[in-house]
Structures are given as C-alpha cells and as structure tokens.
C-alpha cells in the first residue's frame, strides 16, 4: 500500500484467460481490497517459460476486453501474447497503472522442482520480479488426490482430463495465495514466491511449509516412439526419490509448499579460463 491507495495487482496465467484458476486468483485479490486487473493469454500458453512471443498485426500486439464470470468489476483482457510478455506490457502501463504485485495462476498442475524453468506460470512471475514488482506464482497440484500423490503421480496422469476443472479445489489455493499477499506486499522489490497447493479441501491440507526446489520435476518427458524423420514424446512420472524439505516432498505429504525463487543469474564463484593481452589467464 502507498498511503490509502490499494496496491495495483496484475493477475495473469498460462492456461488462458478463460481458465477457472485465474478467476479464483483474481477474486482472492479483489476481495482483499486490491486494485486488480486481469490480462492473460487468449489461449493456452503452457510451457512458455519466460518467452517473449506474441501474435502481431502490422507490429501491434492485439488484445480484447473480456469479462470474468462473477467478476464484472474487474477489468480483464485477452492478449495474443505469452505470459511473460504480458507481464512486461503491464509494467509498461499498457493495461493501466503498472502493477506493484503480479499474481500468476492458478495453474492446472504443480510447478515444482527445477522444472519451473519451463513454466509459463513461473516465467511470468520471474519476469515481473526482474522488473521490480513483487510476484507470486500459484499452482494446484492436480496429482494430489487419492488417485495419486506428487510422489507417485504417474498413476493419475491418464485420468487428469476426466475430471471437471470447475470441480477442482481452486478456492483452497486462492485462499492460501491471499493469505500471503500482506507479507508479499511489504517484501523487498523483486521478491518472487512459488506456491504449490494440493487439490484438496482446505481442511484436508496439512499446512503451509517453506520449501526448497526439488532437483527434478513432478513429471518428465520421455521418447514414446522414434522413426526415421519423427519423434513422439510422452509425459510420465519422474520416478525420482523424494528429497525431504523440497516442494515435491511437502506436496506428497499433503502440505502446500511455498518457495522463494529468483531469475537466472551469474555464478561469481565459478572460475572459467579466459584470455587477455598477456596470454591465458584464469579469473
């Protein structure tokens, strides 16, 4: 907050502006008195990471006004661009005053472990943080129900699409995200959090824990078929051992997990051979 003015919040995602998760996340921010605008891809943009891509018409990035069901008071835009690009456009004032907070999600599926590198949900949050905003990526672990856990998620992969997305526990993730907003609003500029929540009723979530990133993702890409000039891939459970204290381990135990993350940076402690006017050198 600045004085009596509510914080400006951008809500975006990578599942598309009509996905149910974004409605729940926008509502959580709006009901807490924040100044909310929604701008999200007009169609699914999963796996985009922090890509800056857009569909343009004579160099113009196109967007149209839309309305979220149940949130007529919240301005919303369907944008022909990737989530990270939308975060940049918002920071430039395209959708109104630049946001102080950026919320990305609620994603259908966990974004955990080092696999967040590929996530459009997390990519938007990291891009916003790189621009100085405080950001929160939120994901619902749809592998958490009895069908499977984050630790044995492959058993649930085949049945994900048989579940009505509207029936998932978006409110659980939205409420947990909302509870973090006061802290995030007062955090240092550029702070980025990644929140993963089990797809369970709120009273069945064991609690919220701060986590490290697992050294692997919840699922992995595998080669299903390879021919002379083609390859077909499939997604399967990673099968890796759970590491205590990581986001995937907490999810598997029924907890929500929040991790402070940052965009890629340099490694000052790693010395690489270099050359200079005096010949080969190190450091």
């Amino acid at each position: 907050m600045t004085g009596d003015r509510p914080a400006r919040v951008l809500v975006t995602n990578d599942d598309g502006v009509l996905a149910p998760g974004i409605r729940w996340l926008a509502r959580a921010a709006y009901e807490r008195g924040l100044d909310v605008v929604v701008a999200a891809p007009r169609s699914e943009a999963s796996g985009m990471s922090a890509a800056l891509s857009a569909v343009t018409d004579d160099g113009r990035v196109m967007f149209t006004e839309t309305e979220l069901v149940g949130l007529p008071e919240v301005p919303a835009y369907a944008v022909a661009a990737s989530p990270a690009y939308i975060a940049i456009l918002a920071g430039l004032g395209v959708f109104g005053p630049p946001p102080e907070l950026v919320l990305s999600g609620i994603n259908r599926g966990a974004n955990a472990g080092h696999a967040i590198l590929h996530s459009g949900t997390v990519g938007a949050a990291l891009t916003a943080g790189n621009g100085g905003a405080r950001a929160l990526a939120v994901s619902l672990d749809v592998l958490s129900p009895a069908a499977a856990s984050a630790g044995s998620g492959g058993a649930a992969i085949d049945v994900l699409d048989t579940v009505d997305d509207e029936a998932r526990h978006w409110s659980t993730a939205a409420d947990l995200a909302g509870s973090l907003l006061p802290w995030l609003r007062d955090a240092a500029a550029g702070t980025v959090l990644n929140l993963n929540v089990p797809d369970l009723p709120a009273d069945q979530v064991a609690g919220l824990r701060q986590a490290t990133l697992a050294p692997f993702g919840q699922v992995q890409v595998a080669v299903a078929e390879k021919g002379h000039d083609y390859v077909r891939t499939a997604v399967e459970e990673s099968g890796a051992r759970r590491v205590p204290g990581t986001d995937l381990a907490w999810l598997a135990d029924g907890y929500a997990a929040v991790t402070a993350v940052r965009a890629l940076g340099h490694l000052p402690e790693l010395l690489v051979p270099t050359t200079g006017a005096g010949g080969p050198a190190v450091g």
Side-chain angles (χ1 to χ4, degrees):
M1 290 269 195
T2 301
D4 294 329
R5 179 177 61 81
R8 178 70 167 175
V9 180
L10 167 72
V11 182
T12 190
N13 72 355
D14 72 358
D15 287 331
V17 71
L18 298 180
I22 198 169
R23 298 198 307 269
W24 283 95
L25 191 55
R27 182 180 292 112
Y30 178 75
E31 290 180 346
R32 285 163 174 78
L34 303 179
D35 179 18
V36 180
V37 62
V38 171
R42 64 185 184 186
S43 58
E44 184 170 342
S46 298
M48 295 291 288
S49 187
L52 302 182
S53 62
V55 177
T56 60
D57 181 359
D58 194 25
R60 298 173 295 181
V61 178
M62 309 304 293
F63 58 89
T64 56
E65 290 190 49
T66 187
E67 183 176 308
L68 299 187
V69 175
L71 290 171
E73 309 90 346
V74 175
Y77 302 91
V79 189
S82 62
Y85 204 163
I86 291 170
I88 288 178
L89 293 175
L92 294 173
V94 171
F95 308 111
E100 301 156 59
L101 298 175
V102 172
L103 309 181
S104 185
I106 302 167
N107 190 67
R108 178 182 180 267
N111 281 302
H114 286 182
I116 65 169
L117 173 67
H118 311 294
S119 166
T121 303
V122 180
L126 289 172
T127 300
N130 196 48
R134 299 151 181 85
L136 171 65
V138 188
S139 302
L140 189 68
D141 179 16
V142 299
L143 301 188
S144 284
S149 72
S152 59
I157 292 172
D158 290 339
V159 300
L160 288 182
D161 291 331
T162 68
V163 178
D164 179 7
D165 272 351
E166 295 291 346
R168 297 188 184 281
H169 298 92
W170 304 108
S171 61
T172 303
D175 288 345
L176 278 172
S179 72
L180 289 170
L181 294 183
W183 181 92
L184 183 62
R185 190 174 57 204
D186 294 332
T191 297
V192 180
L193 299 179
N194 184 43
L195 173 66
N196 285 282
V197 181
D199 184 18
L200 295 169
D203 61 2
Q204 293 182 28
V205 176
L208 175 64
R209 293 291 184 266
Q210 185 166 356
T212 57
L213 291 176
F216 48 87
Q218 189 177 35
V219 296
Q220 66 184 11
V221 176
V223 174
E225 183 181 3
K226 183 179 180 182
H228 175 68
D229 56 0
Y230 74 93
V231 63
R232 183 170 60 86
T233 62
V235 176
E236 59 184 32
E237 63 176 316
S238 71
R241 181 181 61 86
R242 279 186 282 161
V243 179
T246 62
D247 44 15
L248 287 177
W250 285 121
L251 283 173
D253 288 337
Y255 290 85
V258 63
T259 307
V261 296
R262 64 179 180 180
L264 296 175
H266 72 289
L267 299 174
E269 70 278 9
L270 184 64
L271 300 180
V272 179
T274 59
T275 59
V282 175

